């Protein structure tokens, strides 16, 4: 059936359409640099989406939990074996992505007789010095992009671009509190856009679509207040000042509560 | 998937061999000998070690770190063949981290003790051949029982709890007697000592060990060379800074020698 090239291209196109559909209801993930390292944030319904990979590596994911687990284990195995056989300094995000999981994801995507990975992955690496952070985003087809200040995962490129615009508009050198605030706004912007797109698809919310690009603080805060009541705000940092070699730390609910805007804190309690 | 979070199994599956024996015992002199100690004090556990590495009568190195952090709440002090001991520490460090990262929870304190024991058992052939004997002290904070604990091992992997203290290495017979004396007839129990009192005590013990054991390095004030002392509490591990060691040594040890 797929022996003819155009049929294979068609099958891959169908697969792309199928995968795009799978992410429409996913929760966006935000990562950005702050004065002591990198903060990662998402809002989940219970299954965690932020993980420690190695001493200076953290992962955020979107998609099917079982696929995410499989790739997370691949990364963990690669990182730890490499760190043991060579040295922790040789375990870099760039190597893990380029020579590790990106080829695996690409192969699964193009083998049209097998199931693809329903995942988008954001891998962040804490640099030894401020300003040396690396952000890698891998798409479900194995393509990846590398950035240096912030990165996001969302259902579509358009939503990701809006979120990145908001993150880049904020000045650098943020405190952790400021970074958590901005990350939450970016998440709200992305999640609201995705939800409005879904409603538009079902012809129920065409009117509200005009509001999707609005980035004013009040409307984003209101959206967060509405949305997070039955969900969990997940936040983790790669903190350069943390003692010991492992720099990853998930923020406890109490610690996170101190950084959240007052109105959001009230909705959570 | 993930070998149930077992990094050592993962390494073995990739062809790694630990503790391979060279067969019969040899006459070569390997870098060895040491004094390490651990005792409970008021806030947790203190672990200390001298800095000397020797091979027979030869001093190989005077700045060895024998008190090594495995993770945020556990420390292994090493006595024996350093090559094997450092390899064990590297395996344990990666094992505990790998477990935490794959299973999304810390390995229990009992699990950590078992991991040390398993490594020593795998190393028996090398230990008996004389090329890889290690007799470590493992100390850490047990969150289930909310207390810091001390364990010591023989070279075959037998595990013993040091309820109040533990010692190992060639200088240990000297200070074992002192620890017993101090804890039984001293002004106060070791476990009642403050951080400052226990630091002075550890410096005195290691200075005594160096006095009677040529394979244990003493303090060299001119070279700014002091033992390594780490303190384990519920908050984590803290290494006593050199300046504090110097201050405590001047105030509580140097006046008497």
């Amino acid at each position: 059936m797929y022996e003819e090239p155009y049929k294979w291209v068609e099958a891959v196109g169908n697969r792309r359409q199928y995968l795009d559909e799978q992410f429409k209801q996913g929760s966006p993930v935000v990562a950005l640099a702050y004065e002591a390292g990198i903060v990662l944030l998402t809002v989940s319904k219970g299954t965690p989406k932020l993980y420690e990979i190695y001493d200076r590596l953290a992962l955020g994911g979107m998609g099917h939990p079982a696929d995410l687990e499989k790739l997370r284990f691949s990364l963990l195995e690669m990182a730890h074996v490499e760190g043991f056989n060579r040295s922790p300094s040789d375990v870099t995000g760039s190597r893990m992505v380029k020579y590790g999981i990106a080829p695996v994801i690409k192969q699964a995507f193009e083998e049209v007789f097998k199931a693809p990975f329903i995942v988008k992955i954001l891998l962040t690496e804490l640099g030894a010095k401020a300003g040396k952070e690396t952000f890698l985003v891998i798409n479900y087809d194995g393509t990846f992009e590398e950035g240096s200040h912030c990165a996001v995962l969302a259902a579509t490129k358009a939503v990701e671009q809006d979120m990145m615009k908001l993150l880049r508009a904020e000045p650098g050198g943020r405190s952790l509190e400021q970074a958590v605030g901005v990350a939450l706004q970016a998440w709200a912007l992305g999640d609201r856009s995705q939800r409005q797109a879904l409603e538009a698809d079902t012809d129920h919310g065409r009117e509200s679509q005009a509001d999707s690009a609005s980035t004013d603080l009040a409307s984003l805060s209101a959206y967060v207040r509405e949305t997070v009541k039955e969900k969990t705000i997940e936040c983790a940092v790669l903190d350069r000042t943390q003692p010991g070699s492992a720099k990853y730390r998930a923020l406890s609910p109490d610690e996170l509560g101190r950084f959240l805007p007052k109105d959001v804190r009230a909705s959570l309690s | 998937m993930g070998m149930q979070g077992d990094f050592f199994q993962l390494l073995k599956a990739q062809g790694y061999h630990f503790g391979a024996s060279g067969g019969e015992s040899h006459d070569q002199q390997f870098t060895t000998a040491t004094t390490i100690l651990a005792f409970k004090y008021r806030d947790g556990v203190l672990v200390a070690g001298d800095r000397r590495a020797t091979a027979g009568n030869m001093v190989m190195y005077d700045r060895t770190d024998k008190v090594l952090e495995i993770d945020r709440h556990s420390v292994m002090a090493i006595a024996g063949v350093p090559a094997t001991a450092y390899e064990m520490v590297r395996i344990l460090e990666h094992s505990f981290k790998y477990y935490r990262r794959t299973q999304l929870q810390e390995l229990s304190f009992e699990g950590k003790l078992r991991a040390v024991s398993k490594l020593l058992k795998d190393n028996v052939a090398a230990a008996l051949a004389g090329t890889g004997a290690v007799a470590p002290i493992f100390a850490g904070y047990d969150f289930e029982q909310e207390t810091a604990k001390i364990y010591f091992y023989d070279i075959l992997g037998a595990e013993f709890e040091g309820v109040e203290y533990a010692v190992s290495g060639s200088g240990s017979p000297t200070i074992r007697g002192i620890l017993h004396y101090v804890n039984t007839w001293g002004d106060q129990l070791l476990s009642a000592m403050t951080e400052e009192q226990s630091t002075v005590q550890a410096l005195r013990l290691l200075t005594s060990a160096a006095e009677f054991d040529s394979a244990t390095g003493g303090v060299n004030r001119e070279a700014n060379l002091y033992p390594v002392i780490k303190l384990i509490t519920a908050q984590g591990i803290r290494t006593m800074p050199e300046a504090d060691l110097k201050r405590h040594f001047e105030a509580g040890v140097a006046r008497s020698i």
Side-chain angles (χ1 to χ4, degrees), chain B residues 48-231:
Chain B
D50 79 299
R51 310 286 300 271
R52 178 168 291 177
T54 56
N57 293 327
M58 177 90 74
V59 175
M60 300 295 290
Y61 191 47
D62 246 343
R63 291 190 182 272
T64 317
D65 188 355
K66 301 171 188 174
V67 185
L68 303 160
E69 288 177 34
I70 308 284
D71 65 11
R72 288 168 193 165
H73 292 94
S74 12
V75 156
M76 192 158 99
I78 54 170
V81 175
T84 311
Y86 285 126
E87 188 76 345
M88 282 179 65
V89 167
R90 269 173 17 89
I91 293 173
L92 291 172
E93 193 183 347
H94 270 78
S95 296
F96 296 177
K97 283 180 182 172
Y98 184 73
Y99 183 90
R100 184 182 76 227
R101 289 163 182 163
T102 53
Q103 309 301 302
L104 304 177
Q105 64 179 55
E106 285 287 344
L107 181 61
S108 68
F109 189 71
E110 269 187 42
K112 291 176 183 178
L113 293 174
R114 187 82 200 101
V116 179
S117 206
K118 262 165 68 183
L119 277 181
L120 286 165
K121 280 213 167 85
D122 278 12
N123 188 52
V124 164
L128 293 178
T131 54
V134 179
I137 294 174
F138 183 87
Y141 197 84
D142 183 345
F143 281 94
E144 271 175 43
Q145 300 198 9
E146 296 183 344
T147 185
K149 289 181 168 179
I150 305 164
Y151 283 80
F152 60 101
Y153 296 80
D154 69 11
I155 60 167
L156 304 178
E159 172 191 299
F160 308 97
E161 180 170 6
V163 179
E164 288 145 338
Y165 54 82
V167 292
S168 189
S170 58
S172 63
T174 305
I175 60 167
R176 195 172 171 209
I178 301 174
L179 275 161
H180 175 75
Y181 187 92
V182 168
N183 202 42
T184 312
W185 296 291
D187 292 339
Q188 57 182 337
L189 292 170
L190 290 164
S191 58
M193 287 183 179
T194 62
E195 182 183 306
E196 187 173 338
Q197 288 169 325
S198 50
T199 303
V200 169
Q201 198 63 247
L203 288 169
R204 285 177 181 172
L205 286 162
L206 288 171
T207 305
S208 303
E211 186 74 18
F212 297 105
D213 175 32
S214 62
T216 296
V219 166
N220 183 344
R221 281 185 279 177
E222 282 169 12
N224 227 9
L225 185 64
Y226 293 89
V228 173
I229 294 183
K230 291 190 194 280
L231 304 152

Side-chain angles (χ1 to χ4, degrees), chain A residues 51-55 69-70 72-73 76-77 80-81 83-84 242 245-246 248, chain B residues 1-2 7 10-11 14 16 72 87 90-91 93-94 97-98 100-102 104:
Chain A
Y51 299 98
E52 178 182 18
I53 295 296
Y54 202 65
D55 293 353
E69 275 298 282
K70 206 169 180 182
R72 185 174 78 89
F73 266 90
L76 283 165
E77 285 187 9
H80 286 78
V81 170
F84 180 81
Q242 177 128 318
S245 54
Y248 181 91
Chain B
M1 190 167 72
F7 178 70
L10 175 66
L11 276 185
Q14 301 222 347
Y16 175 82
R72 288 168 193 165
E87 188 76 345
R90 269 173 17 89
I91 293 173
E93 193 183 347
H94 270 78
K97 283 180 182 172
Y98 184 73
R100 184 182 76 227
R101 289 163 182 163
T102 53
L104 304 177

